[in-house]
Amino acid sequence: MKYKLYILILILTPTSCKKETNKTFSEKKHETVLVEKIENTDILQTNSINEIWNELIFKKGGCLVGSQYITKKKIKKEGSVFNKSYWIDFLNRPKLKTTNFLISKFSDTTKTKIHTCPFYGATNGEIAVYTLQQIHKINWYDFIEFKKYSQKKIVNATDQPQIWLRKILESETDRNKLAKLFQNELKN
């Protein structure tokens, strides 16, 4: 199946590069959806949540484009990994199993291929938190126990929400507190 995908991409790439200026937005979008559907087939053929997760964060990668945080406005940020069909499928998996799986990743500091614009590549633990935010529609800093961070001002690249979250995940006490808060969301 992977070879078919690579062949399809090779066939489409030269054509799409030459005609890029003549294509309508609709035609470009159709090609993107077609490629995503083919890629999605490979991911969905496995039942292991761990295999799917590893495929998403270590192989596919991408950018969060700031969409890791939930806002009251329902703005879809163009280009965000969370807008990809295979991510949407992952986000719609059974909440209990997915939540517990993601919580188990909190302490993992392995760098992923997912970038958090405009700052750093995310760790496995960070992506787990950002994914839980998408599933439960609540940000980590919206929990009363971490509310102080919602009022905190971004100072620079080393004093901003991604770094604050990393420090929370480094602390066993705070990490466990955050895990319990997301588990409590299962009851709501």
Side-chain angles (χ1 to χ4, degrees):
M1 186 62 168
K2 286 186 179 183
Y3 295 111
K4 289 179 184 177
L5 171 63
Y6 294 128
I7 292 169
L8 179 63
I9 290 172
L10 288 173
I11 291 169
L12 289 176
T13 302
T15 308
S16 60
C17 289
K18 290 176 190 171
K19 296 181 183 177
E20 195 66 35
T21 54
N22 297 331
K23 286 186 181 179
T24 66
F25 175 75
S26 178
E27 290 171 324
K28 290 176 190 174
K29 189 166 179 125
H30 176 72
E31 282 181 7
T32 302
V33 169
L34 178 64
V35 171
E36 275 187 17
K37 282 183 181 176
I38 292 167
E39 290 175 346
N40 205 15
T41 304
D42 285 343
I43 294 173
L44 296 177
Q45 286 178 349
T46 179
N47 289 331
S48 165
I49 190 170
N50 194 53
E51 287 178 56
I52 295 168
W53 180 252
N54 287 337
E55 176 80 18
L56 293 174
I57 67 167
F58 294 118
K59 291 183 182 174
K60 291 214 174 288
C63 188
L64 294 170
V65 195
S67 69
Q68 65 267 35
Y69 300 112
I70 303 301
T71 62
K72 290 181 181 165
K73 299 175 189 172
K74 295 193 177 192
I75 301 170
K76 274 198 158 189
K77 298 205 177 178
E78 193 69 33
S80 170
V81 296
F82 290 130
N83 292 332
K84 305 285 184 193
S85 62
Y86 40 84
W87 266 99
I88 292 168
D89 290 343
F90 185 85
L91 295 171
N92 288 320
R93 295 177 65 87
K95 279 188 179 183
L96 176 63
K97 184 177 181 180
T98 306
T99 297
N100 290 332
F101 170 78
L102 293 170
I103 287 170
S104 76
K105 300 295 181 186
F106 279 8
S107 63
D108 189 342
T109 58
T110 308
K111 296 275 192 229
T112 68
K113 287 191 174 184
I114 297 180
H115 181 259
T116 56
C117 269
F119 298 110
Y120 306 101
T123 66
N124 199 348
E126 284 176 69
I127 295 297
V129 172
Y130 299 146
T131 304
L132 284 168
Q133 292 179 163
Q134 298 297 312
I135 292 169
H136 296 287
K137 307 294 184 229
I138 187 167
N139 298 308
W140 64 267
Y141 54 76
D142 291 331
F143 291 117
I144 201 136
E145 292 83 345
F146 297 105
K147 200 71 167 171
K148 66 181 179 184
Y149 292 100
S150 68
Q151 307 302 316
K152 196 171 176 179
K153 297 213 184 287
I154 296 173
V155 178
N156 56 41
T158 58
D159 193 6
Q160 44 88 3
Q162 183 181 15
I163 301 302
W164 306 333
L165 176 58
R166 282 186 183 181
K167 288 183 180 179
I168 288 167
L169 294 174
E170 287 170 6
S171 161
E172 187 175 355
T173 303
D174 287 342
R175 188 172 59 240
N176 290 335
K177 189 184 303 180
L178 187 59
K180 283 187 175 128
L181 292 166
F182 275 114
Q183 286 172 328
N184 287 339
E185 286 300 303
L186 289 166
K187 299 171 188 170
N188 295 336

